[in-house]
Amino acid sequence: MTTTGEPADDWASITERKVLDAALDRAPTMGWNARMVASACKACGLSDGDRELLLPNGPRDLAALLWRRNDDAAFESLAGVDPTTLKIRERISRAVSARLEAAAAGAEAEKRVAGFMALPTNADLALTLTWATADRIWRWAGDVATDWNHQSKRTILSGILIPAMTLRLFDGKDAADAFVAARIENVMAFEKWKAGKDFYSPLRAATDFLARLRYGPRDAA
Protein backbone atom coordinates (compact mmCIF):
# COMPACT_ATOMS: atom_id res chain seq x y z
CA MET A 1 0.00 0.00 0.00
CA THR A 2 1.12 3.54 -0.67
CA THR A 3 2.12 5.81 2.24
CA THR A 4 3.04 8.86 0.15
CA GLY A 5 -0.39 10.44 0.02
CA GLU A 6 -0.83 9.44 -3.61
CA PRO A 7 -4.18 7.92 -4.63
CA ALA A 8 -4.15 4.14 -4.31
CA ASP A 9 -4.77 3.67 -8.03
CA ASP A 10 -1.52 5.55 -8.78
CA TRP A 11 0.69 3.17 -6.83
CA ALA A 12 1.30 0.88 -9.81
CA SER A 13 2.30 3.56 -12.31
CA ILE A 14 4.50 5.40 -9.79
CA THR A 15 6.25 2.22 -8.71
CA GLU A 16 6.63 0.99 -12.29
CA ARG A 17 8.57 4.13 -13.17
CA LYS A 18 10.86 3.74 -10.16
CA VAL A 19 11.54 0.07 -10.89
CA LEU A 20 12.17 0.80 -14.57
CA ASP A 21 14.70 3.49 -13.68
CA ALA A 22 16.43 1.05 -11.35
CA ALA A 23 16.37 -1.62 -14.07
CA LEU A 24 18.00 0.70 -16.58
CA ASP A 25 20.86 1.30 -14.14
CA ARG A 26 21.41 -2.43 -13.73
CA ALA A 27 20.76 -3.77 -17.24
CA PRO A 28 24.15 -2.86 -18.79
CA THR A 29 25.95 -5.15 -16.34
CA MET A 30 23.25 -7.65 -15.33
CA GLY A 31 21.43 -8.06 -18.63
CA TRP A 32 17.65 -8.03 -19.09
CA ASN A 33 16.45 -11.01 -17.10
CA ALA A 34 14.57 -12.11 -14.00
CA ARG A 35 17.62 -11.60 -11.76
CA MET A 36 17.89 -7.99 -12.87
CA VAL A 37 14.16 -7.43 -12.25
CA ALA A 38 14.45 -8.86 -8.75
CA SER A 39 17.41 -6.59 -8.01
CA ALA A 40 15.62 -3.50 -9.31
CA CYS A 41 12.50 -4.29 -7.30
CA LYS A 42 14.52 -4.89 -4.14
CA ALA A 43 16.26 -1.54 -4.61
CA CYS A 44 12.83 0.10 -4.70
CA GLY A 45 11.79 -1.59 -1.47
CA LEU A 46 9.34 -4.06 -2.99
CA SER A 47 8.59 -7.39 -1.43
CA ASP A 48 8.42 -10.56 -3.50
CA GLY A 49 4.64 -10.29 -3.37
CA ASP A 50 4.72 -6.70 -4.60
CA ARG A 51 6.98 -7.74 -7.46
CA GLU A 52 4.63 -10.51 -8.51
CA LEU A 53 1.69 -8.11 -8.35
CA LEU A 54 3.40 -5.32 -10.26
CA LEU A 55 5.37 -7.35 -12.82
CA PRO A 56 3.83 -10.82 -13.12
CA ASN A 57 5.78 -11.42 -16.35
CA GLY A 58 9.02 -10.02 -14.98
CA PRO A 59 11.41 -8.80 -17.67
CA ARG A 60 8.71 -8.93 -20.36
CA ASP A 61 6.60 -6.44 -18.42
CA LEU A 62 9.57 -4.14 -17.88
CA ALA A 63 10.53 -4.37 -21.56
CA ALA A 64 7.01 -3.29 -22.52
CA LEU A 65 7.15 -0.40 -20.05
CA LEU A 66 10.45 0.79 -21.49
CA TRP A 67 9.19 0.48 -25.05
CA ARG A 68 6.14 2.60 -24.29
CA ARG A 69 8.24 5.13 -22.41
CA ASN A 70 10.40 5.50 -25.49
CA ASP A 71 7.29 5.91 -27.65
CA ASP A 72 6.11 8.71 -25.36
CA ALA A 73 9.53 10.39 -25.43
CA ALA A 74 9.62 10.24 -29.23
CA PHE A 75 6.27 11.91 -29.64
CA GLU A 76 7.04 14.50 -26.99
CA SER A 77 10.03 15.49 -29.13
CA LEU A 78 7.68 15.85 -32.10
CA ALA A 79 5.26 18.10 -30.22
CA GLY A 80 6.56 21.22 -31.98
CA VAL A 81 6.36 19.68 -35.45
CA ASP A 82 3.29 20.28 -37.60
CA PRO A 83 3.07 17.12 -39.73
CA THR A 84 0.76 18.83 -42.23
CA THR A 85 3.70 21.00 -43.35
CA LEU A 86 5.64 17.90 -44.41
CA LYS A 87 5.26 15.38 -47.20
CA ILE A 88 4.10 11.95 -46.11
CA ARG A 89 7.54 10.40 -46.50
CA GLU A 90 9.03 13.24 -44.45
CA ARG A 91 6.46 12.70 -41.71
CA ILE A 92 7.23 9.02 -41.46
CA SER A 93 10.98 9.60 -41.62
CA ARG A 94 10.84 12.29 -38.93
CA ALA A 95 8.75 10.12 -36.60
CA VAL A 96 10.88 7.02 -37.11
CA SER A 97 14.04 9.04 -36.45
CA ALA A 98 12.55 10.44 -33.25
CA ARG A 99 11.70 6.93 -32.08
CA LEU A 100 15.19 5.63 -32.83
CA GLU A 101 16.81 8.49 -30.95
CA ALA A 102 14.55 7.96 -27.95
CA ALA A 103 15.89 4.41 -27.64
CA ALA A 104 19.47 5.45 -28.34
CA ALA A 105 19.43 7.79 -25.34
CA GLY A 106 19.92 4.73 -23.15
CA ALA A 107 21.81 2.63 -25.66
CA GLU A 108 23.63 0.24 -23.32
CA ALA A 109 20.46 -0.84 -21.53
CA GLU A 110 18.56 -0.90 -24.84
CA LYS A 111 21.08 -3.33 -26.29
CA ARG A 112 20.28 -5.74 -23.47
CA VAL A 113 16.56 -5.30 -24.09
CA ALA A 114 17.09 -5.86 -27.82
CA GLY A 115 18.80 -9.17 -27.08
CA PHE A 116 15.97 -10.17 -24.76
CA MET A 117 13.30 -9.24 -27.30
CA ALA A 118 15.10 -11.20 -30.01
CA LEU A 119 14.54 -14.46 -28.14
CA PRO A 120 11.95 -16.67 -29.90
CA THR A 121 9.85 -16.77 -26.74
CA ASN A 122 9.47 -12.99 -26.89
CA ALA A 123 8.67 -12.66 -30.60
CA ASP A 124 4.99 -12.09 -29.85
CA LEU A 125 5.76 -9.21 -27.51
CA ALA A 126 8.22 -7.60 -29.94
CA LEU A 127 5.75 -7.76 -32.81
CA THR A 128 2.85 -6.41 -30.73
CA LEU A 129 4.86 -3.46 -29.42
CA THR A 130 6.35 -2.66 -32.82
CA TRP A 131 2.95 -2.72 -34.50
CA ALA A 132 1.59 -0.35 -31.85
CA THR A 133 4.48 2.05 -32.50
CA ALA A 134 3.88 1.87 -36.25
CA ASP A 135 0.20 2.62 -35.66
CA ARG A 136 1.06 5.64 -33.54
CA ILE A 137 3.46 6.95 -36.19
CA TRP A 138 0.88 6.62 -38.96
CA ARG A 139 -1.75 8.33 -36.84
CA TRP A 140 0.65 11.18 -36.13
CA ALA A 141 1.30 11.39 -39.87
CA GLY A 142 -2.44 11.85 -40.44
CA ASP A 143 -3.40 8.42 -41.73
CA VAL A 144 -7.14 7.84 -41.50
CA ALA A 145 -7.40 4.61 -43.48
CA THR A 146 -9.89 2.11 -42.09
CA ASP A 147 -9.75 -0.55 -44.81
CA TRP A 148 -7.01 -3.11 -45.40
CA ASN A 149 -4.59 -0.21 -46.06
CA HIS A 150 -4.70 0.46 -42.32
CA GLN A 151 -3.19 -2.96 -41.68
CA SER A 152 -0.75 -3.02 -44.59
CA LYS A 153 0.80 0.36 -43.76
CA ARG A 154 1.46 -0.62 -40.18
CA THR A 155 2.76 -4.05 -41.10
CA ILE A 156 5.21 -2.59 -43.61
CA LEU A 157 6.39 0.09 -41.18
CA SER A 158 6.85 -2.54 -38.46
CA GLY A 159 9.18 -4.33 -40.84
CA ILE A 160 11.24 -1.16 -41.08
CA LEU A 161 11.28 -0.30 -37.38
CA ILE A 162 12.75 -3.54 -36.04
CA PRO A 163 15.94 -3.64 -38.15
CA ALA A 164 16.27 0.17 -37.99
CA MET A 165 16.33 0.05 -34.19
CA THR A 166 18.95 -2.67 -34.27
CA LEU A 167 21.11 -0.68 -36.68
CA ARG A 168 20.79 2.47 -34.57
CA LEU A 169 21.92 0.69 -31.42
CA PHE A 170 24.74 -1.39 -32.85
CA ASP A 171 25.92 0.40 -36.02
CA GLY A 172 25.08 4.04 -35.33
CA LYS A 173 22.80 6.80 -36.55
CA ASP A 174 24.18 7.08 -40.10
CA ALA A 175 23.58 3.40 -40.84
CA ALA A 176 20.06 3.54 -39.41
CA ASP A 177 19.16 6.76 -41.27
CA ALA A 178 20.38 5.34 -44.58
CA PHE A 179 18.39 2.16 -44.08
CA VAL A 180 15.21 4.05 -43.14
CA ALA A 181 15.52 6.44 -46.11
CA ALA A 182 15.88 3.55 -48.55
CA ARG A 183 13.01 1.58 -47.07
CA ILE A 184 10.66 4.57 -47.00
CA GLU A 185 11.35 5.09 -50.72
CA ASN A 186 10.24 1.48 -51.20
CA VAL A 187 7.08 2.11 -49.18
CA MET A 188 6.20 5.21 -51.19
CA ALA A 189 6.76 3.34 -54.45
CA PHE A 190 4.48 0.57 -53.21
CA GLU A 191 1.80 3.06 -52.15
CA LYS A 192 1.96 4.72 -55.58
CA TRP A 193 1.61 1.35 -57.32
CA LYS A 194 -1.18 0.29 -54.99
CA ALA A 195 -3.15 3.50 -55.60
CA GLY A 196 -3.87 2.44 -59.17
CA LYS A 197 -5.12 -1.02 -58.27
CA ASP A 198 -8.62 -2.17 -57.48
CA PHE A 199 -7.96 -4.90 -54.91
CA TYR A 200 -11.65 -5.48 -54.36
CA SER A 201 -12.30 -6.40 -58.00
CA PRO A 202 -11.57 -10.15 -57.56
CA LEU A 203 -13.89 -10.24 -54.55
CA ARG A 204 -16.67 -8.51 -56.48
CA ALA A 205 -16.17 -10.87 -59.41
CA ALA A 206 -16.34 -13.93 -57.15
CA THR A 207 -19.43 -12.59 -55.41
CA ASP A 208 -21.12 -11.88 -58.73
CA PHE A 209 -20.28 -15.39 -59.98
CA LEU A 210 -21.73 -17.03 -56.89
CA ALA A 211 -24.83 -14.86 -57.15
CA ARG A 212 -25.39 -15.99 -60.75
CA LEU A 213 -25.04 -19.62 -59.71
CA ARG A 214 -27.61 -19.13 -56.99
CA TYR A 215 -30.09 -16.76 -58.62
CA GLY A 216 -29.29 -16.93 -62.32
CA PRO A 217 -28.33 -14.09 -64.66
CA ARG A 218 -29.37 -10.62 -63.49
CA ASP A 219 -31.45 -9.99 -66.62
CA ALA A 220 -33.24 -13.32 -66.34
CA ALA A 221 -37.03 -13.14 -65.98
Side-chain angles (χ1 to χ4, degrees), residues 7 38 44 49 60 91 98 102 137 141-142 150 154 157 162-163 175 185 194 196:
C44 294
R60 280 173 61 96
R91 299 177 198 179
I137 289 174
H150 177 93
R154 285 146 181 82
L157 184 54
I162 293 176
E185 285 300 321
K194 191 172 62 176

Side-chain angles (χ1 to χ4, degrees), residues 27-220:
T29 55
M30 296 184 68
W32 202 268
N33 49 51
R35 186 170 67 91
M36 181 276 295
V37 174
S39 176
C41 288
K42 184 177 180 180
C44 294
L46 298 184
S47 67
D48 290 345
D50 287 337
R51 185 179 75 242
E52 288 295 324
L53 176 65
L54 188 71
L55 303 167
N57 298 301
R60 280 173 61 96
D61 289 335
L62 269 187
L65 287 171
L66 177 58
W67 188 285
R68 295 180 182 118
R69 174 186 284 189
N70 288 337
D71 277 354
D72 291 341
F75 286 95
E76 284 175 12
S77 73
L78 293 169
V81 179
D82 181 0
T84 63
T85 65
L86 305 172
K87 296 179 179 178
I88 288 294
R89 71 184 65 203
E90 293 171 337
R91 299 177 198 179
I92 300 302
S93 180
R94 181 75 67 90
V96 169
S97 178
R99 182 58 179 80
L100 298 183
E101 294 311 301
E108 291 309 309
E110 287 286 349
K111 288 178 182 178
R112 305 305 185 274
V113 179
F116 175 78
M117 298 284 270
L119 295 173
T121 52
N122 297 320
D124 61 326
L125 178 63
L127 291 173
T128 297
L129 292 171
T130 305
W131 200 95
T133 300
D135 177 55
R136 196 166 174 181
I137 289 174
W138 272 112
R139 289 181 185 278
W140 178 83
D143 179 62
V144 294
T146 57
D147 58 7
W148 78 279
N149 285 313
H150 177 93
Q151 304 294 332
S152 65
K153 287 178 178 179
R154 285 146 181 82
T155 300
I156 293 170
L157 184 54
S158 294
I160 295 174
L161 282 168
I162 293 176
M165 289 180 180
T166 302
L167 284 169
R168 179 63 185 89
L169 291 173
F170 293 94
D171 295 324
K173 180 173 171 52
D174 290 345
D177 287 347
F179 172 83
V180 170
R183 298 293 79 74
I184 288 178
E185 285 300 321
N186 291 345
V187 171
M188 293 301 105
F190 175 71
E191 290 295 321
K192 183 177 180 180
W193 170 81
K194 191 172 62 176
K197 305 297 181 181
D198 181 1
F199 290 96
Y200 294 103
S201 179
L203 178 61
R204 286 196 297 270
T207 302
D208 187 55
F209 174 73
L210 292 173
R212 288 198 302 271
L213 288 178
R214 173 65 177 83
Y215 299 108
R218 292 182 181 179
D219 57 355

